[in-house]
Amino acid sequence: MARDSISNSVIRRLPRYHRFLGELEANGYIRISSRELSEKMGLTASQIRQDFNCFGEFGQQGYGYNVSDLRREIGNILGLDKHTPMILIGAGNIGKAIASHLDFRSKGFVLTGAFDVNPEIIGKPVGEINVSDISELESFCAENKPVSAILCVPTSVAPAMTEKLISCGIKAFWNFTHYDIRIEHKNILVENVHLGDSLTTLSYGLNRIDEEGER
Amino acid sequence: MARDSISNSVIRRLPRYHRFLGELEANGYIRISSRELSEKMGLTASQIRQDFNCFGEFGQQGYGYNVSDLRREIGNILGLDKHTPMILIGAGNIGKAIASHLDFRSKGFVLTGAFDVNPEIIGKPVGEINVSDISELESFCAENKPVSAILCVPTSVAPAMTEKLISCGIKAFWNFTHYDIRIEHKNILVENVHLGDSLTTLSYGLNRIDEEGER
DNA sequence: TAGATTGTTAATCGATTAACAATC
DNA sequence: TAGATTGTTAATCGATTAACAATC
């Protein structure tokens, strides 16, 4: 039975389910049981069934799940059938790489604008679009109503830029700066990536392996 | 009292503590209480004290924590005093951006090599080093013994490349491909970044906001 | 000393796993 | 029908929060 509030742990597993089901589909799988999927993904079958049942009854007793049906259902839950307009703020190294590395459309978004302060970058292409001067941000937003933004500016200007973007109507932030966007505003969504923290975690793990070796 | 096995939830919070304490230090803070830190970070004071006490007693009753002492302690736990050699595999858009965007040394690593198959990239600089031909990987590893690798190759070649790197002595992977490195090998560490999953999560959140609006 | 705040134990909460009746 | 596997409830496990004695 579909629940009202889904736990964050479940939500974070959904994209991974979607990804794995895509691979299975590509490999010609028609059906899969929770047990088989659990082995492929390193989860328990129980957890998988619990997760899916947060949203509805997608399986069939005695049979399992239809791979492409299940994948489509999860895709819809994730909003991947939409194309939410997204803009890139800061088109330097990391911004450019992210914009051109990912397929936004298959993830529920479409990149409609990119902005920077650097005259050497302005006018140059990033993915399918050209970089605009940041001074054009407000008029662009008024006209095109983007609802989400990738934040790839220097950390120092991140807080002010966040405020400005909110005033321009941005509702969701994909944040690559080293600044933690804190959600004092209601109904503003933030996904803090923090690649530095991710790398630091790896350092922690390596040190534990080393310690074991020393014993 | 220092515990033997630390939960993943705690470990994932450590880099964030370290980051916040660095900001506090930069802003002239000498001491901080768990309550004050909890307000700044959006956690509970209880959790903060529990987390720190996994590793030792870093505070003082009636006083709180010394900011720079605490930061140094956490840095040591994370292994940030080390410079573990790391190589970049795949120096395209995303690889180059990551290598030049982050300060590896302050995160316990040092970038000692970069490799690619593309002749147009080979020989060009990435951060402080030059990109080498991937054919030189084995001899480089034999000589320089890097223990960690950033994986920025196309997803299709990720599994084979992972195996090759393990055979070259790589113990830790920072994986940016869309392939899930699964740890069948013992004592091999993996940090799967999956930017696509992160973006997909944002799409999910946006759809929940929209649904609320419709009600 | 009195006040503040830690370190730590106990209580609560939530998430994962196990079990099994329902059913295809 | 018999076998398989779901959907779902109950049991377990782990993580977070609350409480408070210890102590600076």
Side-chain angles (χ1 to χ4, degrees):
Chain A
M1 200 174 302
R3 265 186 262 151
D4 225 13
S5 91
I6 311 295
S7 85
N8 202 47
S9 322
V10 175
I11 295 164
R12 299 248 151 227
R13 281 192 291 270
L14 291 181
R16 195 155 170 267
Y17 286 131
H18 192 261
R19 195 154 42 79
F20 269 77
L21 289 166
E23 282 173 29
L24 289 170
E25 203 176 15
N27 289 324
Y29 279 72
I30 300 300
R31 64 164 285 277
I32 194 157
S33 68
S34 58
R35 193 185 53 74
E36 200 178 352
L37 187 59
S38 76
E39 283 162 9
K40 290 196 187 296
M41 294 187 66
L43 305 169
T44 65
S46 258
Q47 181 164 62
I48 288 175
R49 293 201 301 275
Q50 290 274 29
D51 284 356
F52 294 168
N53 281 111
C54 291
F55 302 98
E57 306 182 7
F58 302 140
Q60 200 170 28
Q61 276 102 331
Y63 174 82
Y65 300 88
N66 177 290
V67 173
S68 51
D69 285 356
L70 180 59
R71 181 171 141 91
R72 191 174 43 251
E73 291 281 7
I74 294 175
N76 290 343
I77 292 161
L78 290 168
L80 305 188
D81 47 338
K82 314 257 168 66
H83 284 147
T84 303
M86 187 170 229
I87 55 176
L88 172 67
I89 310 299
N93 260 321
I94 194 83
K96 211 167 57 182
I98 284 153
S100 49
H101 186 249
L102 284 165
D103 177 18
F104 286 78
R105 280 172 207 272
S106 72
K107 267 122 203 132
F109 294 93
V110 57
L111 203 64
T112 60
F115 300 86
D116 207 294
V117 288
N118 185 350
E120 286 178 23
I121 293 175
I122 294 163
K124 299 246 169 78
V126 166
E128 298 164 357
I129 52 175
N130 289 323
V131 179
S132 304
D133 193 306
I134 191 75
S135 66
E136 294 169 30
L137 177 65
E138 276 171 324
S139 61
F140 178 93
C141 289
E143 198 173 324
N144 297 282
K145 312 270 184 218
V147 284
S148 56
I150 316 174
L151 209 59
C152 290
V153 297
T155 303
S156 55
V157 303
M161 184 54 79
T162 304
E163 285 304 319
K164 182 165 192 180
L165 286 163
I166 290 174
S167 78
C168 285
I170 295 296
K171 292 259 174 289
F173 290 87
W174 199 23
N175 176 30
F176 285 83
T177 75
H178 304 316
Y179 162 73
D180 267 48
I181 301 182
R182 298 268 265 107
I183 16 71
E184 55 276 320
H185 302 265
K186 219 206 139 201
N187 273 351
I188 299 290
L189 221 70
V190 180
E191 173 81 6
N192 288 307
V193 175
H194 286 303
L195 293 176
D197 288 6
S198 169
L199 181 58
T200 305
T201 303
L202 202 60
S203 172
Y204 175 88
L206 267 171
N207 276 270
R208 296 298 84 69
I209 291 179
D210 287 353
E211 277 174 14
E212 266 180 49
E214 280 163 23
R215 272 184 225 142
Chain B
M1 197 176 303
R3 266 187 261 152
D4 225 11
S5 90
I6 311 297
S7 85
N8 201 48
S9 322
V10 175
I11 295 165
R12 299 248 152 226
R13 281 191 293 270
L14 291 180
R16 194 156 170 267
Y17 286 131
H18 192 261
R19 196 153 42 79
F20 269 78
L21 289 166
E23 281 173 31
L24 288 170
E25 204 176 16
N27 289 326
Y29 278 74
I30 301 298
R31 65 162 284 278
I32 194 156
S33 68
S34 56
R35 193 185 52 73
E36 200 178 353
L37 187 58
S38 76
E39 281 160 12
K40 289 195 187 295
M41 294 188 66
L43 304 169
T44 65
S46 259
Q47 181 164 60
I48 288 174
R49 293 202 300 278
Q50 289 274 30
D51 283 356
F52 294 168
N53 281 110
C54 291
F55 303 98
E57 306 184 7
F58 302 139
Q60 199 169 31
Q61 277 101 330
Y63 173 81
Y65 300 87
N66 177 290
V67 173
S68 52
D69 285 356
L70 180 57
R71 180 171 142 93
R72 191 174 43 252
E73 292 280 7
I74 294 175
N76 291 343
I77 292 161
L78 289 168
L80 305 188
D81 46 338
K82 315 259 167 66
H83 285 149
T84 304
M86 186 170 230
I87 55 175
L88 172 67
I89 310 298
N93 260 320
I94 194 83
K96 211 166 57 183
I98 283 153
S100 49
H101 186 250
L102 286 163
D103 177 19
F104 285 79
R105 280 173 209 271
S106 72
K107 268 126 203 127
F109 294 93
V110 58
L111 204 62
T112 59
F115 299 87
D116 207 295
V117 290
N118 185 348
E120 287 177 24
I121 293 175
I122 295 165
K124 300 245 169 77
V126 166
E128 298 165 357
I129 53 174
N130 288 322
V131 180
S132 305
D133 192 307
I134 191 74
S135 65
E136 293 168 31
L137 178 65
E138 277 172 321
S139 62
F140 178 94
C141 291
E143 198 174 323
N144 297 282
K145 312 270 181 216
V147 284
S148 56
I150 315 173
L151 209 59
C152 290
V153 297
T155 304
S156 55
V157 302
M161 184 54 80
T162 304
E163 286 303 319
K164 182 166 191 177
L165 287 164
I166 291 175
S167 77
C168 286
I170 296 296
K171 292 259 173 288
F173 290 86
W174 200 23
N175 176 31
F176 285 83
T177 75
H178 305 315
Y179 162 74
D180 266 47
I181 301 182
R182 298 267 266 109
I183 16 69
E184 55 277 318
H185 302 266
K186 220 204 135 200
N187 273 349
I188 299 290
L189 221 70
V190 180
E191 174 81 4
N192 288 308
V193 176
H194 285 303
L195 293 176
D197 288 6
S198 169
L199 181 58
T200 305
T201 303
L202 202 61
S203 173
Y204 175 88
L206 267 171
N207 275 269
R208 297 297 84 69
I209 292 180
D210 287 352
E211 276 175 15
E212 267 179 47
E214 280 164 22
R215 271 184 228 144

